[in-house]
Amino acid sequence: MSSESAATDVHAPVRRPRADAARNRERLVAAALDAFTATGVDTSLEGIARAAGVGIGTLYRNFPTREDLVAAVYRAELDAALDTVDDLLTSTGGRSSAAAALRVFVGRYAEFVATKRGLAETVRAGALQGAAEAAGTRRRVNDAVQRFLDAGAADGSLRSDVLADDVTAALVGILLSTRDTADAEQTERLLDILVAGVARHP
């Protein structure tokens, strides 16, 4: 066997386990999100592993502690909320302005926060706080909002004198203040007001 063939034989099988490991991790995170929000703090890690279709050893290899699993769930949900920015800025379901795209984004972020609250109520608050800090949540949200503001200044739909952190602070304030409201539509109305406040009017 040539040295080239030997090298091929040695390295070719490496890719599949890596892909399998990534899929296992994704399944574990999805199963953990369902379990944490549905069952609570006493959720069995063995049950999460079963729901993901893997063994408990695979779970512990990926997430040595429950806090590690919580952090992974948090990051996955945050990524899902923030990874929509590019699509929203290029296509907002028939809407044409950055202001309209920003309104869709804050609505999706509100959905993420609702998921975060579910986690906070079912796992140790310290674990979730640590996950938020490690993920750089405030900085990443500010970066996302800034992209909408830049696009809005360019297309004339958003004011150019608005700070991203002010928008984020207002967004957080809305979501905190409506946490226990009995009015299911109040959050949506306040998000409308937020975006209208930063919109550029003729």
Side-chain angles (χ1 to χ4, degrees):
M1 181 181 291
S2 70
S3 59
E4 183 178 349
S5 297
T8 302
D9 289 343
V10 169
H11 294 293
V14 172
R15 293 183 180 178
R16 186 167 185 175
R18 288 178 181 173
D20 289 345
R23 284 193 292 271
N24 287 342
R25 185 180 177 89
E26 291 172 0
R27 287 197 293 264
L28 283 165
V29 170
L33 173 61
D34 291 342
F36 286 150
T37 54
T39 308
V41 69
D42 295 324
T43 294
S44 163
L45 294 182
E46 288 81 1
I48 291 174
R50 283 196 302 272
V54 302
I56 189 64
T58 298
L59 185 150
Y60 281 121
R61 279 194 298 274
N62 283 277
F63 309 107
T65 69
R66 184 179 295 265
E67 286 76 10
D68 292 329
L69 185 54
V70 171
V73 170
Y74 178 90
R75 284 193 299 270
E77 292 300 293
L78 178 63
D79 288 346
L82 298 184
D83 286 350
T84 62
V85 176
D86 285 337
D87 287 342
L88 288 175
L89 286 174
T90 57
S91 174
T92 56
R95 303 173 180 88
S96 59
S97 71
L102 176 61
R103 177 61 184 86
V104 176
F105 171 76
V106 295
R108 291 183 180 177
Y109 189 74
E111 294 173 359
F112 159 71
V113 170
T115 299
K116 174 184 170 183
R117 286 173 184 158
L119 287 174
E121 291 166 359
T122 57
V123 300
R124 287 185 289 279
L128 195 61
Q129 181 178 356
E133 292 172 354
T137 304
R138 184 63 170 252
R139 173 187 56 78
R140 293 183 64 193
V141 174
N142 279 348
D143 289 347
V145 170
Q146 187 62 58
R147 293 186 61 193
F148 289 107
L149 293 177
D150 290 343
D155 71 13
S157 65
L158 293 171
R159 291 164 46 188
S160 59
D161 61 341
V162 176
L163 298 178
D165 194 58
D166 289 348
V167 176
T168 302
L171 174 59
V172 171
I174 288 171
L175 300 179
L176 287 174
S177 66
T178 58
R179 173 174 180 166
D180 299 316
T181 183
D183 183 352
E185 301 301 321
Q186 186 177 40
T187 299
E188 294 298 315
R189 293 196 302 271
L190 291 174
L191 293 177
D192 286 341
I193 292 171
L194 169 62
V195 175
V198 299
R200 180 181 293 170
H201 302 284

